[in-house]
Amino acid sequence: MIQTRSRQHALVALMLTLALVVVAGTSSVVFAQDERAAEAEAAAEETEATPAPTPEPTPYPEFDPDTVTLRLDRFADGFDAPVYIADEGLRGRDCRYVVERGGLVKIILPDRDTRRTPFLDIRDQLKGIEDRAEQGLHSIAFHPQFKKNGRYFVHYTTAEKQNVVAEFKGTPCGKTLKRKPKIWLNETQDYINNNGGWIGFDPDGLLYVTTGDGGGIAPGDPNGYGQTPRTRLGKVLRLDVGRPDGIAKDNPYVKKAGKKLKPRKNFARETWAYGLRDPRRASFDRETGDLWIGDVGQDRFEEINRIPKGETKKGDAFNFGWSHVVGADTCHNLPECDPTLYDPPVYYYDKVSPQRGVTGGYVYRGELLPELEGVYLFSDVASGYIRGLDADAVSAGFEVPAHLLLDAPSGIVSFGEDDDGELYVVSLDGTIFRLDLL
């Protein structure tokens, strides 16, 4: 009997021990699971608190300037103060038209000889400008239908400080007809400098004109014309020369009132952009239609500005800031300013010797210089440096540097483009060059 009870006691003890072991094991498993869950939760919180680093943006594959070695090929010479060269836009006719500041337009024939009889002679209208380096005949532009209608346009400023765009008629590689010109613009300036001076047709057949602020003493723009709506100075003007009044119906400051086109916000109806000081040279990218503008600065910066094809800003024009702002964010004629209110240049450089005045150029779209496809070439009238800015990169929204491509002689006052997209350089010493590779 005693032995039986002992066995019973032992069995009970064994069962209690097993129960404790099971309970202890279960608790260990629970505790381990809870610990792992807490560790996972803490790791998740740490991941949320410390986000993964943002990868560096891939740089734009801009052109490599080390692959480019430019040279200037002498194309023609013997001109008297040439300031511009243009092509009439007729493939198969290889005449080039050289503008001389004194009032002549001369033709370079296909054999590169210069014809003795000028294409245009308006020297009588420009008497008195001889000692005024910024006045005179500035540029020429041929109507897209020039072969059919003979229409072409010139931009000049007179000794009386009239900023003029006039239309003439002529024949391809021929002469100007003796007819009274039609005046499309006649804006009076207060001073003899800062005249702008470029005209050109966009891909849609509208005529663009660049005007300066009308000049004046330092610190510049004494009348504030760069930011004055009603004047046609300090602006890019856009004309429809197919209409008698020349007003393009979709300009940003035009409103329709029945059959009439009235000004909006007190702006001149021709306004396409404003806030410019002295945009002497501009051009259209023949591939994209973008407008590129070289704006000569006062005493701080030289600017390159760009307007994408046909683009305005929610019904308003681009405002490049002069004379409130220069460069990207430097106040000028205001003690304080908000640079974010204006459209900054796509590129600018310091106005320090030997750099004194930007010469706007062209986006290269020719065949002789394949390494420069899509590169905007420009210069400086004082230094002669020819630089390249990747226009395709700029159009894609990237900030890229301008690279020095050629240290040319000073006095480059203009570039020109022929029907094939090849580029020319105009030097004040009387020489026309064509750009090529070594």
Side-chain angles (χ1 to χ4, degrees):
M1 179 70 68
I2 294 173
Q3 186 176 7
T4 302
R5 286 177 180 170
S6 298
R7 288 177 179 173
Q8 289 176 344
H9 290 164
L11 181 61
V12 170
L14 178 62
M15 292 176 66
L16 289 172
T17 301
L18 290 173
L20 290 173
V21 169
V22 170
V23 170
T26 303
S27 299
S28 298
V29 171
V30 171
F31 292 152
Q33 290 176 342
D34 289 346
E35 185 175 352
R36 285 196 294 270
E39 290 176 352
E41 184 176 353
E45 291 177 355
E46 183 177 355
T47 300
E48 292 178 0
T50 309
T54 303
E56 291 293 327
T58 303
Y60 189 89
E62 63 167 328
F63 82 103
D64 183 359
D66 293 334
T67 65
V68 181
T69 305
L70 287 179
R71 75 167 189 260
L72 296 178
D73 282 346
R74 187 180 298 270
F75 190 79
D77 56 18
F79 297 97
D80 182 12
V83 292
Y84 197 67
I85 183 171
D87 196 308
E88 61 197 5
L90 302 176
R91 289 190 176 275
R93 293 182 180 270
D94 294 325
C95 290
R96 311 285 185 268
Y97 297 78
V98 177
V99 174
E100 294 183 344
R101 188 178 70 86
L104 295 179
V105 177
K106 296 180 179 178
I107 293 178
I108 303 175
L109 298 169
D111 61 4
R112 298 196 183 185
D113 284 340
T114 302
R115 200 176 67 188
R116 290 186 178 182
T117 304
F119 178 70
L120 175 67
D121 184 350
I122 58 168
R123 287 176 293 182
D124 286 345
Q125 288 97 303
L126 299 178
K127 289 180 179 179
I129 60 92
E130 293 79 12
D131 297 326
R132 299 176 177 181
E134 293 190 36
Q135 290 186 326
L137 185 55
H138 303 304
S139 58
I140 186 171
F142 295 90
H143 192 279
Q145 301 299 320
F146 175 65
K147 184 177 180 179
K148 294 181 179 179
N149 60 29
R151 301 175 72 187
Y152 74 92
F153 303 76
V154 296
H155 191 181
Y156 61 88
T157 50
T158 69
E160 295 74 34
K161 302 188 288 291
Q162 299 298 311
N163 197 312
V164 180
V165 172
E167 176 186 344
F168 295 85
K169 285 199 172 184
T171 56
C173 290
K175 62 182 181 180
T176 293
L177 304 179
K178 292 183 178 181
R179 296 180 181 177
K180 185 178 180 179
K182 176 179 174 59
I183 304 300
W184 289 93
L185 174 71
N186 189 351
E187 192 80 356
T188 302
Q189 300 186 184
D190 296 313
Y191 303 91
I192 65 174
N193 59 325
N194 294 10
N195 306 299
W198 174 83
I199 52 175
F201 282 94
D202 74 1
D204 299 322
L206 296 174
L207 181 65
Y208 289 65
V209 181
T210 62
T211 61
D213 65 11
I217 60 175
D221 197 15
N223 297 315
Y225 287 155
Q227 296 296 319
T228 299
R230 67 181 183 278
T231 179
R232 293 172 181 82
L233 299 176
K235 294 179 173 59
V236 176
L237 307 176
R238 184 173 181 254
L239 308 178
D240 182 350
V241 295
R243 290 176 50 89
D245 60 4
I247 305 300
K249 293 187 290 186
D250 58 346
N251 278 355
Y253 298 115
V254 168
K255 62 181 179 181
K256 296 180 181 179
K259 295 182 178 180
K260 295 182 178 181
L261 300 178
K262 293 188 174 183
R264 190 172 71 87
K265 293 186 177 182
N266 201 34
F267 271 85
R269 294 176 297 169
E270 299 90 342
T271 302
W272 185 250
Y274 64 109
L276 295 163
R277 178 182 178 271
D278 193 9
R280 298 178 186 174
R281 292 291 172 253
S283 65
F284 287 103
D285 182 341
R286 60 168 49 203
E287 182 171 300
T288 67
D290 295 350
L291 179 62
W292 290 77
I293 307 163
D295 192 15
V296 178
Q298 176 76 27
D299 52 16
R300 297 292 301 278
F301 304 112
E302 303 294 310
E303 296 184 4
I304 302 294
N305 295 289
R306 167 181 166 267
I307 303 176
K309 180 186 177 183
E311 187 170 317
T312 58
K313 299 177 62 181
K314 296 181 180 180
D316 283 317
F318 277 72
N319 180 359
F320 296 111
W322 175 258
S323 56
H324 292 173
V325 175
V326 293
D329 55 9
T330 303
C331 298
H332 188 69
N333 278 359
L334 295 178
E336 294 182 1
C337 66
D338 181 359
T340 63
L341 298 177
Y342 309 98
D343 298 289
V346 296
Y347 180 78
Y348 64 99
Y349 61 92
D350 290 334
K351 195 181 188 81
V352 294
S353 181
Q355 302 174 139
R356 295 295 181 189
V358 65
T359 299
Y362 288 80
V363 177
Y364 183 75
R365 300 294 183 186
E367 297 181 356
L368 291 177
L369 316 173
E371 295 86 352
L372 293 179
E373 168 68 22
V375 175
Y376 177 73
L377 300 175
F378 65 98
S379 186
D380 186 285
V381 68
S383 72
Y385 298 154
I386 295 179
R387 289 187 169 92
L389 179 69
D390 196 318
D392 289 340
V394 170
S395 299
F398 292 87
E399 291 187 10
V400 291
H403 300 282
L404 179 62
L405 301 178
L406 182 64
D407 187 355
S410 62
I412 295 178
V413 291
S414 187
F415 288 78
E417 183 184 47
D418 67 19
D419 293 339
D420 298 318
E422 304 305 335
L423 298 187
Y424 299 78
V425 169
V426 180
S427 174
L428 271 177
D429 70 2
T431 308
I432 308 296
F433 299 94
R434 187 171 73 173
L435 279 177
D436 206 341
L437 293 176
L438 276 178

